[in-house]
């Protein structure tokens, strides 16, 4: 499984890997009710997920500028990328990690908003486990790269949940893991928010055999 949960979970070689889109599913209004009915991580079951603990942005046009911590994710064509970092507790050593991007429609959001303009191509790049962003992060001073190149761009648009990877948290537990989101054709800014109608990138936990990605 060559994907960013290689960064979050499959870290037996303690390296990062590129993102891989495993599934795309429509988000209906009824799906925001917190429920264990089918284990769909779109519900973000309380206590069983992580939101990014650090978000920053970097700019190709201002490669030595550090932007520090951000509340919003911001991506612009061939310039600004957002870097997201998760802390995976050591207690999650026996859990499954599901990395996903939840992207509802604007009218589904209660406490957040987004702007989106462009065809919707996004690339995801993982960093080496344990190497995560901070106040010093710039385009020229990024966390240590993983050994894999960025995965080919995927298409994202409002109204869907995107499962990027599912895998064991074993080797991610107790460390930080991070990745970068960029685009060559789309401007996208959003306020990362885990309200009843969440938006953004999350790492959800489950136990036992991972669910089929089509239903994750």
């Amino acid at each position: 499984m060559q994907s960013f949960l290689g960064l979050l979970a499959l870290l037996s070689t303690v390296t990062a890997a590129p993102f891989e889109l495993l599934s795309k599913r429509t988000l209906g209004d009824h799906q925001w009710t917190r429920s264990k009915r089918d284990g769909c991580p779109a519900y973000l079951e309380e206590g069983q997920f992580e939101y990014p603990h650090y978000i920053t942005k970097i700019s190709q046009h201002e490669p030595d500028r550090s932007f520090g911590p951000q509340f919003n994710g911001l991506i612009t064509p061939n310039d600004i990328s957002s870097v997201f970092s998760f802390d995976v507790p050591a207690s999650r050593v026996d859990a499954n990690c599901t990395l996903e991007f939840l992207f509802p429609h604007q009218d589904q959001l209660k406490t957040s908003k987004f702007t989106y303009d462009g065809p919707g191509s996004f690339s995801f790049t993982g960093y080496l486990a344990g190497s995560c962003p901070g106040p010093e992060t710039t385009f020229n001073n990024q966390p240590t790269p993983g050994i894999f190149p960025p995965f080919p761009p995927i298409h994202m648009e409002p109204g869907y949940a995107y499962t990027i990877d599912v895998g064991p948290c074993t080797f991610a537990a107790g460390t930080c893991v991070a990745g970068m989101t960029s685009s060559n054709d789309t401007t996208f800014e959003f306020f990362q928010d885990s309200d009843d109608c969440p938006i953004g990138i999350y790492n959800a936990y489950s136990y036992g055999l991972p669910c089929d990605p089509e239903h994750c």
Side-chain angles (χ1 to χ4, degrees), residues 9-10 18 20 29 31 33 35 37 40-41 49 55 60 77 79 94 102 109 123 151 162 168 172 176 178 196 207 215:
L10 300 179
E20 179 178 0
D29 290 339
Q31 290 184 295
T33 303
S35 167
R37 181 175 54 193
C40 174
F49 70 93
I55 302 173
Q60 294 186 49
D79 182 17
D94 58 345
L102 305 182
L109 293 171
S123 296
F151 195 78
Y162 297 86
C176 65
D196 280 347
Y207 292 86
H215 304 291

Side-chain angles (χ1 to χ4, degrees), residues 4 7-8 16-19 52 54-58 81-86 99 123-129 131-133 137 142-144 146 176-182 201:
F4 184 61
L7 183 66
L8 283 178
F19 289 78
Y54 193 87
I55 302 173
T56 192
K57 60 186 178 182
I58 56 178
S81 302
S82 281
V83 178
F84 302 90
S85 177
F86 295 90
L99 186 73
S123 296
F124 299 88
T125 304
Y127 298 118
L128 198 68
S131 180
C132 289
T137 299
Q142 298 181 44
T144 304
C176 65
V177 286
M180 176 179 67
T181 307
S182 58
I201 192 165

Side-chain angles (χ1 to χ4, degrees), residues 204-216:
Y205 299 117
S206 61
Y207 292 86
L209 293 176
C211 62
D212 187 320
E214 182 180 353
H215 304 291
C216 289

Side-chain angles (χ1 to χ4, degrees), residues 9 92 94-98 166-169 203-211:
R92 298 294 186 173
D94 58 345
N96 303 307
C97 284
T98 297
V166 182
C169 302
N203 178 36
Y205 299 117
S206 61
Y207 292 86
L209 293 176
C211 62

